[in-house]
Amino acid sequence: MNVKRNFPNSRLRRLRTSDNLIKLVSETSLSSNDLIQPLFIKENLKGTEPIDSMPNILRFSAESVLDEVEDLLNSGINSIALFPVIEESKKDDHGKEALNNSNLICESIQSIKKRFPEIIIIADVALDPYTNHGHDGIIKDNYVDNDLTLDVLKSQSILLAESGADIIAPSDMMDGRIGVIRKALEEANYKNTILLSYAAKYNSKFYGPFRDAVNSAGNLAGASKSSYQMSFHNKNEAIHEVAMDISEGADIVMIKPGMPYLDIISLVKDTFKVPTFAYQVSGEYSMLKLAINKGWLDENVMLESLVGFKRAGADAVLTYAAKEISKEITSK
Ligand code: PBG
């Protein structure tokens, strides 16, 4: 790397003299295949409803989500991540609705797969959409109990695999859950069910709008997830988390949130060289979208932010902007 790079032998602007040249030498590209659309499905809803803190994003009924999936496929998006919004009356302190085999998410997976067998469905594993306290696990003595929670996550995962989910994505951050779930999947003969681990998931205020979207914010009542999600001061710990999840049987690892954590994405990809996803979370999306809608930022900032993820080393990105960006890049 000791080559002399002197002017005028080197004029970096030569390769920027036309759009076609710029594209010809571009190092990173973003395609529809890199984008995953998260979708909120709400019980007992007619049609769709907006989410106040997430501009242009809707909650879908179990029926209307089918049309949305069709639209996504037509827009070039082949992967979706589903999040349930269940009736408050079904939430309890153990999140037992998560283990009901005809709950909203199991039925939705089945009906989506029936009509669109080719779509890749990612199903979240965690208890927060089902608990009346909004935490991702079971509380004992004022503490989210790791090992008690593992048992439930294991059963929840098997149920999601049975329902037809292609990818099971534990987002709960309990220790040891990937190993427990992988073993249970093997034993139940779901040998090709993919585990996408939210391996380095930080305790972040950028999740705020998501918690509104799934109605867990009120239940959480400002309580923190700091006893299980990572401290945003840490980087070495992310390596430790990812290493454990890979050795326990994760096929894909994920970093979350995205934009303030591009250093972690880059480090994880360089260190482990395994499929690495990133989640551009609700707060990141809403910040950009609100500013775009107000005319304060050009709409291209969304694409710019997503290419940033790819440049950092992400193989795919979960983003609420998946559909619109896919339409945009395929029409260019
Ligand atoms: C919960 C879960 C969260 C998100 C995905 N799964 C929120 C949380 O941990 O409180 C956040 C996604 C987003 O903000 O877009 N298991």
Side-chain angles (χ1 to χ4, degrees):
M1 292 298 268
N2 258 339
V3 189
K4 285 217 174 63
R5 295 160 190 240
N6 287 344
F7 176 83
N9 290 359
S10 184
R11 277 184 191 269
L12 290 168
R13 292 183 57 195
R14 279 183 205 123
L15 295 177
R16 299 177 196 143
T17 50
S18 76
D19 282 350
N20 280 342
L21 264 173
I22 289 171
K23 284 191 252 177
L24 186 67
V25 296
S26 114
E27 299 172 36
T28 309
S29 65
L30 178 73
S31 93
S32 303
N33 298 323
D34 306 320
L35 299 171
I36 299 161
Q37 179 76 50
L39 293 172
F40 298 106
I41 307 178
K42 185 173 173 183
E43 201 155 31
N44 296 331
L45 180 71
K46 296 237 174 320
T48 61
E49 71 180 13
I51 299 165
D52 289 344
S53 54
M54 299 187 71
N56 303 30
I57 300 299
L58 300 170
R59 297 190 191 90
F60 295 93
S61 66
E63 298 75 40
S64 66
V65 78
L66 294 170
D67 296 335
E68 180 64 12
V69 171
E70 183 165 27
D71 196 30
L72 284 165
L73 287 167
N74 290 334
S75 312
I77 297 293
N78 300 315
S79 308
I80 53 176
L82 302 180
F83 296 99
V85 186
I86 72 162
E87 283 293 331
E88 284 300 309
S89 61
K90 291 188 179 168
K91 298 186 182 180
D92 62 17
D93 58 349
H94 275 63
K96 75 168 182 311
E97 176 68 7
L99 303 188
N100 167 5
N101 65 6
S102 57
N103 69 17
L104 174 67
I105 204 73
C106 294
E107 298 215 317
S108 299
I109 294 171
Q110 285 165 24
S111 62
I112 294 170
K113 271 286 172 184
K114 194 165 160 210
R115 199 157 130 201
F116 309 104
E118 73 278 25
I119 190 110
I120 296 171
I121 297 186
I122 302 175
D124 220 60
V125 169
L127 296 182
D128 57 319
Y130 303 99
T131 52
N132 54 15
H133 44 67
H135 277 292
D136 293 24
I138 291 174
I139 297 178
K140 194 180 165 196
D141 301 330
N142 264 330
Y143 182 71
V144 175
D145 189 285
N146 196 83
D147 300 9
L148 278 181
T149 302
L150 289 184
D151 259 356
V152 189
L153 298 178
K154 178 174 80 175
S155 309
Q156 185 185 22
S157 302
I158 296 295
L159 210 58
L160 294 167
E162 266 167 24
S163 305
D166 304 279
I167 301 182
I168 307 282
S171 69
D172 54 283
M173 288 297 279
M174 296 302 117
D175 285 327
R177 88 273 207 224
I178 298 299
V180 165
I181 295 169
R182 174 56 76 209
K183 182 163 176 280
L185 287 170
E186 285 287 325
E187 282 168 8
N189 218 17
Y190 290 110
K191 298 194 195 301
N192 281 335
T193 299
I194 295 158
L195 278 178
L196 160 58
S197 166
Y198 286 72
K201 177 173 177 179
Y202 287 86
N203 181 25
S204 170
K205 294 295 183 204
F206 283 101
Y207 307 148
F210 174 96
R211 293 178 188 170
D212 289 338
V214 299
N215 289 338
S216 72
N219 297 336
L220 208 52
S224 159
K225 299 191 177 184
S226 59
S227 84
Y228 44 106
Q229 299 180 348
M230 282 177 61
S231 159
F232 55 74
H233 298 269
N234 297 352
K235 183 154 135 176
N236 291 333
E237 191 188 2
I239 297 287
H240 201 152
E241 285 280 3
V242 171
M244 274 183 70
D245 286 1
I246 295 171
S247 74
E248 288 177 29
D251 304 288
I252 306 170
V253 294
M254 182 143 73
I255 318 303
K256 178 186 177 187
M259 271 164 58
Y261 298 84
L262 294 175
D263 57 332
I264 309 295
I265 297 171
S266 174
L267 178 68
V268 165
K269 187 64 184 179
D270 282 351
T271 307
F272 297 100
K273 305 195 189 311
V274 299
T276 303
F277 288 7
Y279 200 145
Q280 182 183 52
V281 301
S282 55
E284 303 173 54
Y285 167 84
S286 291
M287 255 181 352
L288 294 177
K289 199 66 186 176
L290 183 64
I292 291 168
N293 286 353
K294 283 198 174 280
W296 293 343
L297 285 174
D298 186 277
E299 63 177 8
N300 252 322
V301 294
M302 199 61 91
L303 181 66
E304 182 180 332
S305 70
L306 293 170
V307 171
F309 283 95
K310 291 280 324 258
R311 202 181 55 239
D315 298 295
V317 188
L318 276 96
T319 169
Y320 298 93
K323 183 166 90 172
E324 56 164 284
I325 292 294
S326 177
K327 283 185 179 162
E328 192 184 314
I329 54 189
T330 43
S331 69
K332 267 186 188 159

mmCIF file of all heavy atoms in Angstrom, residues 15-16 19 27 60 62 78 83 85 94 122 135 144 148 181 198-199 207 213 295 302 313:
data_model
loop_
_atom_site.group_PDB
_atom_site.id
_atom_site.type_symbol
_atom_site.label_atom_id
_atom_site.label_comp_id
_atom_site.label_asym_id
_atom_site.label_seq_id
_atom_site.Cartn_x
_atom_site.Cartn_y
_atom_site.Cartn_z
ATOM 1 N N LEU A 15 -12.594 9.946 -12.526
ATOM 2 C CA LEU A 15 -13.627 8.886 -12.503
ATOM 3 C C LEU A 15 -14.989 9.400 -12.042
ATOM 4 O O LEU A 15 -15.905 8.627 -11.812
ATOM 5 C CB LEU A 15 -13.170 7.731 -11.610
ATOM 6 C CG LEU A 15 -11.939 6.963 -12.105
ATOM 7 C CD1 LEU A 15 -11.520 5.891 -11.100
ATOM 8 C CD2 LEU A 15 -12.224 6.312 -13.463
ATOM 9 N N ARG A 16 -15.076 10.725 -11.908
ATOM 10 C CA ARG A 16 -16.370 11.292 -11.508
ATOM 11 C C ARG A 16 -16.930 12.220 -12.571
ATOM 12 O O ARG A 16 -17.788 13.055 -12.276
ATOM 13 C CB ARG A 16 -16.213 12.091 -10.196
ATOM 14 C CG ARG A 16 -15.744 11.265 -9.013
ATOM 15 C CD ARG A 16 -15.547 12.127 -7.764
ATOM 16 N NE ARG A 16 -14.747 11.426 -6.774
ATOM 17 C CZ ARG A 16 -13.839 12.012 -5.985
ATOM 18 N NH1 ARG A 16 -13.628 13.318 -6.047
ATOM 19 N NH2 ARG A 16 -13.159 11.295 -5.119
ATOM 20 N N ASP A 19 -22.160 10.376 -14.821
ATOM 21 C CA ASP A 19 -22.914 9.439 -13.976
ATOM 22 C C ASP A 19 -22.583 7.997 -14.328
ATOM 23 O O ASP A 19 -22.458 7.145 -13.460
ATOM 24 C CB ASP A 19 -24.420 9.667 -14.151
ATOM 25 C CG ASP A 19 -24.873 10.889 -13.364
ATOM 26 O OD1 ASP A 19 -24.070 11.416 -12.565
ATOM 27 O OD2 ASP A 19 -26.031 11.312 -13.565
ATOM 28 N N GLU A 27 -18.338 0.791 -5.832
ATOM 29 C CA GLU A 27 -17.856 -0.350 -5.037
ATOM 30 C C GLU A 27 -18.979 -1.127 -4.363
ATOM 31 O O GLU A 27 -18.813 -2.283 -3.976
ATOM 32 C CB GLU A 27 -16.903 0.148 -3.935
ATOM 33 C CG GLU A 27 -15.667 0.848 -4.474
ATOM 34 C CD GLU A 27 -14.852 1.490 -3.362
ATOM 35 O OE1 GLU A 27 -14.769 0.909 -2.260
ATOM 36 O OE2 GLU A 27 -14.314 2.589 -3.589
ATOM 37 N N PHE A 60 -51.635 -3.926 9.451
ATOM 38 C CA PHE A 60 -52.515 -4.638 8.528
ATOM 39 C C PHE A 60 -53.378 -5.638 9.281
ATOM 40 O O PHE A 60 -52.933 -6.222 10.276
ATOM 41 C CB PHE A 60 -51.696 -5.404 7.472
ATOM 42 C CG PHE A 60 -50.922 -4.502 6.561
ATOM 43 C CD1 PHE A 60 -49.612 -4.158 6.854
ATOM 44 C CD2 PHE A 60 -51.511 -3.980 5.424
ATOM 45 C CE1 PHE A 60 -48.889 -3.299 6.024
ATOM 46 C CE2 PHE A 60 -50.799 -3.118 4.584
ATOM 47 C CZ PHE A 60 -49.489 -2.786 4.881
ATOM 48 N N ALA A 62 -55.275 -9.382 9.313
ATOM 49 C CA ALA A 62 -54.806 -10.681 8.825
ATOM 50 C C ALA A 62 -55.167 -10.882 7.356
ATOM 51 O O ALA A 62 -54.475 -11.594 6.623
ATOM 52 C CB ALA A 62 -55.388 -11.793 9.684
ATOM 53 N N ASN A 78 -38.751 -10.010 -1.558
ATOM 54 C CA ASN A 78 -39.044 -11.441 -1.399
ATOM 55 C C ASN A 78 -38.993 -11.923 0.036
ATOM 56 O O ASN A 78 -39.170 -13.116 0.294
ATOM 57 C CB ASN A 78 -38.048 -12.258 -2.224
ATOM 58 C CG ASN A 78 -38.135 -11.912 -3.693
ATOM 59 O OD1 ASN A 78 -39.227 -11.814 -4.238
ATOM 60 N ND2 ASN A 78 -36.994 -11.687 -4.320
ATOM 61 N N PHE A 83 -44.579 -9.046 12.698
ATOM 62 C CA PHE A 83 -44.736 -8.692 14.114
ATOM 63 C C PHE A 83 -46.221 -8.596 14.449
ATOM 64 O O PHE A 83 -46.954 -7.857 13.787
ATOM 65 C CB PHE A 83 -44.042 -7.357 14.410
ATOM 66 C CG PHE A 83 -42.557 -7.423 14.200
ATOM 67 C CD1 PHE A 83 -41.988 -6.951 13.022
ATOM 68 C CD2 PHE A 83 -41.729 -7.972 15.167
ATOM 69 C CE1 PHE A 83 -40.607 -7.023 12.813
ATOM 70 C CE2 PHE A 83 -40.352 -8.058 14.970
ATOM 71 C CZ PHE A 83 -39.794 -7.575 13.796
ATOM 72 N N VAL A 85 -49.668 -7.697 16.593
ATOM 73 C CA VAL A 85 -50.249 -6.741 17.542
ATOM 74 C C VAL A 85 -51.521 -7.401 18.047
ATOM 75 O O VAL A 85 -52.536 -7.426 17.353
ATOM 76 C CB VAL A 85 -50.588 -5.400 16.847
ATOM 77 C CG1 VAL A 85 -51.041 -4.372 17.880
ATOM 78 C CG2 VAL A 85 -49.394 -4.879 16.049
ATOM 79 N N HIS A 94 -47.044 -14.099 31.660
ATOM 80 C CA HIS A 94 -46.208 -15.150 31.074
ATOM 81 C C HIS A 94 -46.202 -15.137 29.546
ATOM 82 O O HIS A 94 -45.508 -15.936 28.926
ATOM 83 C CB HIS A 94 -46.679 -16.528 31.557
ATOM 84 C CG HIS A 94 -46.082 -16.905 32.878
ATOM 85 N ND1 HIS A 94 -46.328 -16.192 34.030
ATOM 86 C CD2 HIS A 94 -45.235 -17.894 33.231
ATOM 87 C CE1 HIS A 94 -45.659 -16.744 35.026
ATOM 88 N NE2 HIS A 94 -44.979 -17.773 34.572
ATOM 89 N N ILE A 122 -39.816 -14.357 7.979
ATOM 90 C CA ILE A 122 -38.997 -14.297 9.188
ATOM 91 C C ILE A 122 -39.938 -14.054 10.362
ATOM 92 O O ILE A 122 -40.716 -13.094 10.350
ATOM 93 C CB ILE A 122 -37.972 -13.138 9.089
ATOM 94 C CG1 ILE A 122 -37.084 -13.319 7.849
ATOM 95 C CG2 ILE A 122 -37.144 -13.042 10.367
ATOM 96 C CD1 ILE A 122 -36.129 -12.163 7.588
ATOM 97 N N HIS A 135 -42.101 -6.811 28.655
ATOM 98 C CA HIS A 135 -40.737 -7.354 28.578
ATOM 99 C C HIS A 135 -40.689 -8.567 27.653
ATOM 100 O O HIS A 135 -41.704 -9.203 27.376
ATOM 101 C CB HIS A 135 -40.228 -7.729 29.976
ATOM 102 C CG HIS A 135 -39.668 -6.546 30.716
ATOM 103 N ND1 HIS A 135 -38.504 -5.921 30.333
ATOM 104 C CD2 HIS A 135 -40.131 -5.874 31.806
ATOM 105 C CE1 HIS A 135 -38.262 -4.918 31.157
ATOM 106 N NE2 HIS A 135 -39.239 -4.852 32.060
ATOM 107 N N VAL A 144 -36.048 -10.230 34.766
ATOM 108 C CA VAL A 144 -36.417 -11.090 33.637
ATOM 109 C C VAL A 144 -35.560 -12.345 33.728
ATOM 110 O O VAL A 144 -34.345 -12.308 33.517
ATOM 111 C CB VAL A 144 -36.235 -10.360 32.287
ATOM 112 C CG1 VAL A 144 -36.511 -11.303 31.136
ATOM 113 C CG2 VAL A 144 -37.167 -9.146 32.211
ATOM 114 N N LEU A 148 -36.013 -19.523 32.788
ATOM 115 C CA LEU A 148 -37.467 -19.744 32.668
ATOM 116 C C LEU A 148 -37.940 -19.304 31.284
ATOM 117 O O LEU A 148 -38.783 -19.949 30.654
ATOM 118 C CB LEU A 148 -38.220 -18.903 33.705
ATOM 119 C CG LEU A 148 -38.353 -19.422 35.128
ATOM 120 C CD1 LEU A 148 -39.151 -18.420 35.967
ATOM 121 C CD2 LEU A 148 -39.046 -20.784 35.119
ATOM 122 N N ILE A 181 -32.791 -23.436 21.165
ATOM 123 C CA ILE A 181 -33.735 -23.485 20.034
ATOM 124 C C ILE A 181 -33.190 -24.391 18.932
ATOM 125 O O ILE A 181 -33.919 -25.197 18.342
ATOM 126 C CB ILE A 181 -34.020 -22.062 19.497
ATOM 127 C CG1 ILE A 181 -34.742 -21.226 20.570
ATOM 128 C CG2 ILE A 181 -34.840 -22.113 18.219
ATOM 129 C CD1 ILE A 181 -34.845 -19.735 20.254
ATOM 130 N N TYR A 198 -30.727 -12.162 16.514
ATOM 131 C CA TYR A 198 -30.457 -10.759 16.852
ATOM 132 C C TYR A 198 -29.300 -10.856 17.850
ATOM 133 O O TYR A 198 -29.498 -10.875 19.058
ATOM 134 C CB TYR A 198 -31.638 -10.107 17.540
ATOM 135 C CG TYR A 198 -32.840 -9.748 16.692
ATOM 136 C CD1 TYR A 198 -33.695 -10.723 16.190
ATOM 137 C CD2 TYR A 198 -33.165 -8.410 16.456
ATOM 138 C CE1 TYR A 198 -34.829 -10.370 15.453
ATOM 139 C CE2 TYR A 198 -34.304 -8.055 15.734
ATOM 140 C CZ TYR A 198 -35.126 -9.033 15.237
ATOM 141 O OH TYR A 198 -36.246 -8.684 14.525
ATOM 142 N N ALA A 199 -28.085 -10.979 17.319
ATOM 143 C CA ALA A 199 -26.953 -11.356 18.166
ATOM 144 C C ALA A 199 -26.442 -10.174 18.976
ATOM 145 O O ALA A 199 -26.194 -10.288 20.171
ATOM 146 C CB ALA A 199 -25.835 -11.933 17.305
ATOM 147 N N TYR A 207 -35.936 2.251 19.445
ATOM 148 C CA TYR A 207 -37.052 1.306 19.261
ATOM 149 C C TYR A 207 -38.405 1.924 19.616
ATOM 150 O O TYR A 207 -39.434 1.250 19.517
ATOM 151 C CB TYR A 207 -36.879 0.044 20.129
ATOM 152 C CG TYR A 207 -35.553 -0.677 19.983
ATOM 153 C CD1 TYR A 207 -34.988 -1.346 21.071
ATOM 154 C CD2 TYR A 207 -34.875 -0.709 18.779
ATOM 155 C CE1 TYR A 207 -33.782 -2.014 20.962
ATOM 156 C CE2 TYR A 207 -33.654 -1.365 18.666
ATOM 157 C CZ TYR A 207 -33.116 -2.012 19.762
ATOM 158 O OH TYR A 207 -31.915 -2.669 19.645
ATOM 159 N N ALA A 213 -46.040 0.813 17.821
ATOM 160 C CA ALA A 213 -46.676 0.038 16.748
ATOM 161 C C ALA A 213 -47.248 -1.280 17.264
ATOM 162 O O ALA A 213 -48.313 -1.709 16.840
ATOM 163 C CB ALA A 213 -45.688 -0.226 15.614
ATOM 164 N N GLY A 295 -39.931 18.051 4.036
ATOM 165 C CA GLY A 295 -39.115 18.779 3.060
ATOM 166 C C GLY A 295 -37.789 19.270 3.632
ATOM 167 O O GLY A 295 -37.084 20.053 3.003
ATOM 168 N N MET A 302 -32.783 8.258 2.325
ATOM 169 C CA MET A 302 -33.137 6.885 2.698
ATOM 170 C C MET A 302 -32.220 5.896 1.957
ATOM 171 O O MET A 302 -31.634 4.998 2.563
ATOM 172 C CB MET A 302 -34.615 6.633 2.374
ATOM 173 C CG MET A 302 -35.220 5.473 3.081
ATOM 174 S SD MET A 302 -35.210 5.610 4.898
ATOM 175 C CE MET A 302 -36.788 6.405 5.216
ATOM 176 N N GLY A 313 -20.862 -3.609 5.419
ATOM 177 C CA GLY A 313 -20.674 -5.056 5.383
ATOM 178 C C GLY A 313 -21.949 -5.865 5.559
ATOM 179 O O GLY A 313 -21.905 -7.099 5.554
#
